[in-house]
Amino acid sequence: MGDRQGEAEILNSLAGILAGTARPHEALPLYRQALRLAREVRSFIYEAQAPEGAARCEIRAGAGPAALAGFREAIAIYRRIGAPEEEAARVYLAEAETA
């Protein structure tokens, strides 16, 4: 439809739905595509949501410490834009680091 920001939002949403199923690995390509689109259109909130969602999937899939970089990236963007999502991402990251 030509709305790249809307596409990034929808991809993040679809990935979130898949991530909540027993197949979180299927969400990863959608998060990657959402991240690419969000960067192209400079939509910072969707740019943060994509690596956070991907990190959550990777943790669920057993990737462990390697997945934490996505949280750190998301937190940095949330902080930069003053998004309230930063706090929830920080809590999840802290829990994942101690697990």
Side-chain angles (χ1 to χ4, degrees):
M1 309 262 309
D3 179 6
R4 312 275 292 163
Q5 182 172 329
E7 289 177 41
E9 178 184 16
I10 290 169
L11 285 166
N12 274 331
S13 295
L14 288 173
I17 291 168
L18 277 174
T21 70
R23 302 181 326 243
H25 62 281
E26 293 179 17
L28 291 173
L30 297 177
Y31 279 127
R32 288 185 192 111
Q33 189 176 0
L35 179 60
R36 183 182 52 77
L37 287 172
R39 285 182 174 159
E40 285 177 11
V41 298
R42 300 183 51 83
S43 178
F44 301 120
I45 192 68
Y46 301 131
E47 183 181 350
Q49 289 172 349
E52 178 186 5
R56 289 177 185 263
C57 288
E58 290 169 341
I59 287 170
R60 283 191 64 208
L68 301 182
F71 275 106
R72 292 185 187 101
E73 179 182 355
I75 289 167
I77 296 168
Y78 288 142
R79 182 180 319 118
R80 188 177 74 232
I81 64 173
E85 291 88 345
E86 178 187 355
E87 182 60 29
R90 280 187 178 287
V91 169
Y92 197 99
L93 174 61
E95 291 171 358
E97 287 177 325
T98 60

